[in-house]
């Protein structure tokens, strides 16, 4: 698709059009001619020049992507790695000392909040108000009527059930604010009480399950604004929003769910339908397979996306001491910290060094190196006419086998450092889920194909047959169904089939440099 | 409409269902039976009791309203008083000393931000960082990568055009954040430069004009998420949202408009249509009749809703000193401060005192008192079967003639204290626009009827004929069209016709107490 002249003109980078200091546009859309055509276009050697019918000569960076399709939105469901308890294994955990000392570990931790919805920091000093330091390191604290921070422990006259020993079902915090705090931190100072375990649920995944199982209920919750309210001596708060917030492309973007503060909904013919939908969503959120249970110990600090990840806690004995300090912040600040850290590394440069260095290692029992294997896989995808994201997934599917820069990732416990998860998590600093998730699933795809394609297992290499056993063998029927529910499973199977063919030392192998333009297209566009 | 049993059960206020300390619900929706019926219902003397089929006896406050229709949402367009420059006259202005000393003045100022979109504080001390004190008095400062506050003056290496002497067209700030700061403060420390005037535009009104004039353009902007971005040494921010944000009822709820930071939009068949819509909206925003110009002098502090009111500034000579300090905050905190202040006054109590006191005054040349006149007007509306909000508007249409509690309102300059505006502004602390706007328009309705209804002027009382001249005489054709564009004009005409009939000393007049239940229904429900 050719971009219209007005699009090219609006994206002109010449110093007349953009302020050199700030890079901001110096014109408004009404300053541009309404009827505009491109009269000439050439490559200047450093950029693309365009002569418009109004005489202006535009300067366009070569890499300026004319993307089709919905715009990338880091807050929408397709930018997330959704999860069940089983898919996640243990919670993504990062050691506080490593977090402070190693930018690569910080990148991993922040990426986990952005993509998976949370991270557990381990070994944070057990100190009053420490949670504010943690928050200030990843963004900006959002002060509310609770103050800069709040203490979660049993109080005599609680204004909120959080400050009792009662159990609390999965919820998002402060739905009665608008804007709602998008990030929450909970830092454990002591937890000697019986009970008081924390539960986490991926609300985006739960909403997607509701959409698949009961589309009418999903539509009802997405189209019904409801009011949440809170009142205390010094605050009266109300906000009116749907429980499931969608963007104009119907992508899930925000969950607000809190039984405690929901106000009476309007009474009309649709009220019974609303209650059925509310109940159906609440039932999905309570499914044990969606709840990851974490027992916070002193020094643990949970950081989570309060527009997506619901948290819960079991009842506890008010005799034993349990004390958390929490605060709110915003995820746009965290995303900025992540982007500032990652922009200092170029995906293409880091990967090129990795392919040339660690990549020269033997590939477990095969007669090609790891780098040759990945380059061949990428070449097969490109030869098949696969789209950019899928070629990249094929090219990069085994980066988790390499160490070096990925070693920072070893600090992520919880996934047992399977090379599929490790690689996907590490790639997430640059690449969107359309690349990382087929990488994550390419081992599962092997187990899947062994279950559904009788001829597949026969054609595996001896090394691959050996590792199949270690990886869990062919999938069960239940595992097969779960695998097929992933939006990325078809791409993962495609990567897997190229993967299996890419072990031939006799085949001409491309060099990494053949793929740098393609990588730039993906990383540059934020696609 | 009878509320379903599940609705009644979910709103039970008994101590088993609600935590006595916090008032929060102690159950989730899944704890309630799926199939539930009401078996018995009675009035206990203090509340309504309901026996449900699961044996639970529910306690429901008598005033618990079963509202039909879209839920009230203070952030949506129907909760706002939208404006053009002419409709607003001068900006709503509040004196800082009075603001500090008189809760009634604070209520007026905060109400102006919530309903009109902004207020101008006058006489704020010219002191470094003073803007933070102003913000802390009405909510909570939102810290960003700019820090707690930002200085708007000419800088050598600006990261943002705000910090140059260039003109800036109407825009909202920080559209590249999500959540966007919903409130902005700009405090003037000096303004000796030539130029540098501030402009304000009601973005909700501009969007409503676009919807009326070019519905396709409106739909395009409301359904196209676009990306705004900002990058500096310490921040990389991106947010993807439509320029016009709607709620599920298609009510306007948020404007994001900033030519400077808009990123390339996706290229597809709809791109040319997007640009036409973007241009159309920008053109509406630039109409002179929508722009209120304010020259900020030292000690002036603008407080405005950054999701609704766009601000602009003219170019200025960088030689003359111009220095503003600004900060961001959130409007939910301001709304909470407003609600805490107003909940201490009961609408019915204050109005009853007003009717009994000031209301006993003569009604300009008529043979009834002001109170009798208003009570008769309300009775006529009730007798005509008007809905609650319209009966209230009729009952209260002349409160602006009374002084007493309204005198705090005198500090609002800008409306010349016409009794229509003064009354509507004062009522806005409790009542929604469905009540306040017919009050605001009831004088205009007289001028309108004189223009469109030939028999109307003949039937006016002599005093009313006299005031018509002072009020501007019959409307011009242009004024008539503008009046008919208001969503409240039909109600205003209805109030006016009852108003004109309610001057008969011989008619039995109700007492104020006859209307307290109706007022409670409106104020209590937040309708």
């Amino acid at each position: 698709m050719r971009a219209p002249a007005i699009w090219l003109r609006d994206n002109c980078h010449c110093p007349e059009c953009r302020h050199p200091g700030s890079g901001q546009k110096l014109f408004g859309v009404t300053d541009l001619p309404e009827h505009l055509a491109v009269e000439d276009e050439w490559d200047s050697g450093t950029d693309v020049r365009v002569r418009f019918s109004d005489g202006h000569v535009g300067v366009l960076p070569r890499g300026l992507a004319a993307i089709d399709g919905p715009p990338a939105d880091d807050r929408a469901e397709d930018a997330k790695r959704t999860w069940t308890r089983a898919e996640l294994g243990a919670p993504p955990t990062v050691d506080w000392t490593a977090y402070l000392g190693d930018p690569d570990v910080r990148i991993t931790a922040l990426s986990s909040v952005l993509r998976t919805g949370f991270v557990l920091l381990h070994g944070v000093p057990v100190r009053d108000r420490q949670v504010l330091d943690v928050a200030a390191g990843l963004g900006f604290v959002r002060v509310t009527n609770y103050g800069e921070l709040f203490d979660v422990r049993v109080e005599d006259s609680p204004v909120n059930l959080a400050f009792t020993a009662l159990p609390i079902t999965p919820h998002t915090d402060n739905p009665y604010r608008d804007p709602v705090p998008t990030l929450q931190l909970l830092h454990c100072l002591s937890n000697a009480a019986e009970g008081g375990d924390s539960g986490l649920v991926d609300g985006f995944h739960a909403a997607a399950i509701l959409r698949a199982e009961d589309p009418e209920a999903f539509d009802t919750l997405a189209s019904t604004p409801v009011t949440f309210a809170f009142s205390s001596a010094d605050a009266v708060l109300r906000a009116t929003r749907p429980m499931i917030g969608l963007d104009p492309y119907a992508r899930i973007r925000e969950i607000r769910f809190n039984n405690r503060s929901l106000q009476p909904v309007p009474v009309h013919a649709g009220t019974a339908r609303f209650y059925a939908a509310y109940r159906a969503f609440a039932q999905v959120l309570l499914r044990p397979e969606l709840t990851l249970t974490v027992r916070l110990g002193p020094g643990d600090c949970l950081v989570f996306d309060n527009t997506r990840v619901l948290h819960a806690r079991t009842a506890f004995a008010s005799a034993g001491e349990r004390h958390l300090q929490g605060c709110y912040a915003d995820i746009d600040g965290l995303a900025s910290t992540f982007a500032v850290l990652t922009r200092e590394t170029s995906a293409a440069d880091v990967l090129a060094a990795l392919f040339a260095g660690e990549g020269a290692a033997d590939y477990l029992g095969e007669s090609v190196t790891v780098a040759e294997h990945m380059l061949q896989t990428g070449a097969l995808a490109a030869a098949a006419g696969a789209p950019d994201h899928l070629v990249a997934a094929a090219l990069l599917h085994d980066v988790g086998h390499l160490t070096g820069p990925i070693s920072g990732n070893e600090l992520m416990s919880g996934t047992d450092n399977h090379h599929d998860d490790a690689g996907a998590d590490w790639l997430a600093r640059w690449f969107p889920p359309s690349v990382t998730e087929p990488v994550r699933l390419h081992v599962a795809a092997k187990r899947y194909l062994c279950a559904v394609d009788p001829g597949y297992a026969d054609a595996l290499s001896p090394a691959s047959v050996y590792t199949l056993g270690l990886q869990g063998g062919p999938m069960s029927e239940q595992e097969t169904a779960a695998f097929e529910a992933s939006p990325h499973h078809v791409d993962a199977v495609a990567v897997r089939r190229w993967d299996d063919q890419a072990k031939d030392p006799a085949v001409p192998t491309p060099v990494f440099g053949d793929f740098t333009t393609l990588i730039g297209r993906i990383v540059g566009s934020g696609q």
Side-chain angles (χ1 to χ4, degrees), chain A:
Chain A
M1 171 73 57
R2 168 81 195 166
I6 185 74
W7 186 96
L8 295 168
R9 185 79 172 76
D10 191 38
N11 289 304
C12 176
H13 277 58
C14 87
E16 250 180 73
C17 288
R18 300 213 172 218
H19 190 253
S22 66
Q24 295 190 321
K25 288 181 195 173
L26 287 164
F27 58 88
V29 67
T30 54
D31 298 323
L32 304 181
E34 192 162 356
H35 303 285
L36 194 68
V38 170
E39 296 200 331
D40 197 7
E41 186 178 330
W42 66 97
D43 193 309
S44 77
T46 53
D47 43 48
V48 177
R49 302 287 165 104
V50 178
R51 181 177 296 111
F52 295 98
S53 51
D54 66 340
H56 185 78
V57 176
V59 177
L60 293 157
R62 272 172 170 169
L64 192 67
I67 311 160
D68 192 359
D73 177 358
D74 259 1
R75 299 284 285 279
E77 59 177 313
D78 54 358
K80 304 300 184 186
R81 173 199 174 195
T82 55
W83 49 266
T84 61
R85 176 173 62 179
E87 282 162 5
L88 208 56
T93 305
V94 162
D95 178 75
W96 178 246
T97 309
Y99 176 91
L100 290 180
D102 183 349
D104 212 58
V105 175
R106 281 207 293 289
I107 287 172
T108 300
L110 301 179
S111 168
S112 183
V113 178
L114 294 170
R115 297 298 173 87
T116 308
F118 73 101
V119 72
L120 179 60
L121 302 174
H122 199 70
V124 177
V126 178
R127 205 157 47 196
D128 185 45
R129 300 176 65 80
Q130 171 69 31
V131 70
L132 296 174
D133 286 350
V134 178
L138 46 77
F140 301 97
V141 171
R142 174 100 75 91
V143 182
T144 69
N145 57 295
Y146 296 126
E148 279 184 304
L149 61 74
F150 50 89
D151 287 281
V152 185
R153 57 184 163 193
V154 178
E155 291 184 359
D156 282 342
S157 303
V159 296
N160 193 303
L161 289 193
F163 312 141
T164 67
L166 294 166
I168 300 186
T169 49
H171 64 283
T172 62
D173 261 26
N174 293 9
Y176 40 77
R177 286 186 216 282
D178 191 357
V180 77
T182 49
L183 205 63
Q184 184 172 174
L185 288 84
L186 284 174
H187 179 217
C188 182
L189 296 176
S190 64
N191 193 3
E194 261 186 72
D197 292 354
S198 302
L200 297 172
V201 180
D202 181 353
F204 279 18
H205 190 55
I209 289 172
L210 185 70
R211 179 171 56 197
E213 293 180 354
D214 189 346
E216 192 198 325
F218 179 87
D219 290 344
T220 298
L221 294 185
S223 62
T224 307
V226 294
T227 299
F228 297 94
F230 173 85
S231 184
S232 68
D234 59 358
V236 178
L237 292 153
R238 295 177 74 83
T240 303
R241 284 284 176 113
M243 289 189 182
I244 300 176
L246 305 182
D247 80 354
Y249 288 93
R251 292 181 290 195
I252 300 165
R253 211 181 184 283
E254 183 178 294
I255 304 296
R256 287 192 192 226
F257 194 89
N258 195 314
N259 63 297
R260 286 170 285 152
S261 52
L262 179 67
Q263 301 303 297
V265 298
V267 172
H268 48 58
T271 303
R273 194 169 62 233
F274 168 81
Y275 267 100
Y278 175 27
R279 177 186 300 275
F281 191 35
Q283 283 168 339
V284 174
L285 288 167
L286 288 171
R287 289 184 190 173
E289 66 266 30
L290 294 194
T291 304
L292 181 81
T293 303
V294 182
R295 182 166 177 88
L296 296 180
D300 285 342
C301 183
L302 263 183
V303 181
F304 58 97
D305 178 348
N306 186 50
T307 68
R308 174 185 167 195
V309 172
L310 293 84
H311 60 295
R313 77 148 187 251
T314 58
F316 60 97
S318 51
E321 200 187 355
R322 182 179 186 272
H323 184 193
L324 311 183
Q325 279 188 330
C327 73
Y328 299 112
D330 280 303
I331 201 163
D332 56 356
L334 182 147
S336 175
T337 305
F338 172 79
V340 169
L341 282 167
T342 52
R343 74 173 164 188
E344 284 153 21
T345 63
S346 143
D349 291 350
V350 173
L351 288 167
L354 199 62
F355 272 68
E358 296 281 335
D362 280 353
Y363 178 43
L364 321 158
E366 308 286 353
S367 42
V368 288
T369 66
V370 180
E372 284 165 344
H373 168 63
M374 294 201 287
L375 291 164
Q376 283 188 13
T377 310
L380 286 165
D388 283 356
H389 74 269
L390 193 49
V391 175
L395 175 71
L396 303 171
H397 74 279
D398 269 344
V399 286
H401 274 312
L402 305 176
T403 54
I406 306 185
S407 63
N409 202 61
E410 300 294 318
L411 293 153
M412 295 281 286
S413 72
T415 55
D416 294 334
N417 295 315
H418 285 303
H419 82 280
D420 44 2
D421 280 320
D425 288 343
W426 184 74
L427 290 169
R429 71 189 57 197
W430 299 297
F431 294 95
S434 61
V435 175
T436 61
E437 297 317 291
V439 170
R440 190 185 306 283
L441 295 175
H442 83 278
V443 173
K446 173 168 136 189
R447 297 183 52 228
Y448 170 76
L449 284 168
C450 288
V452 301
D453 180 351
Y456 176 79
D458 301 340
L460 285 179
S461 72
S464 221
V465 171
Y466 171 74
T467 53
L468 174 66
L470 299 179
Q471 288 155 351
M475 281 185 172
S476 69
E477 205 169 317
Q478 203 186 353
E479 288 173 322
T480 301
F483 182 75
E484 287 174 350
S486 163
H488 303 284
H489 84 279
V490 173
D491 282 353
V493 167
V495 168
R496 185 73 224 181
R497 292 197 185 270
W498 292 314
D499 177 6
D500 293 327
Q501 294 166 47
K503 300 170 178 180
D504 186 346
V507 162
T509 302
V511 295
F512 184 78
D514 295 345
F515 295 97
T516 44
T517 308
L518 178 143
I519 287 171
R521 277 201 300 270
I522 299 172
V523 174
S525 72
Q527 198 170 29

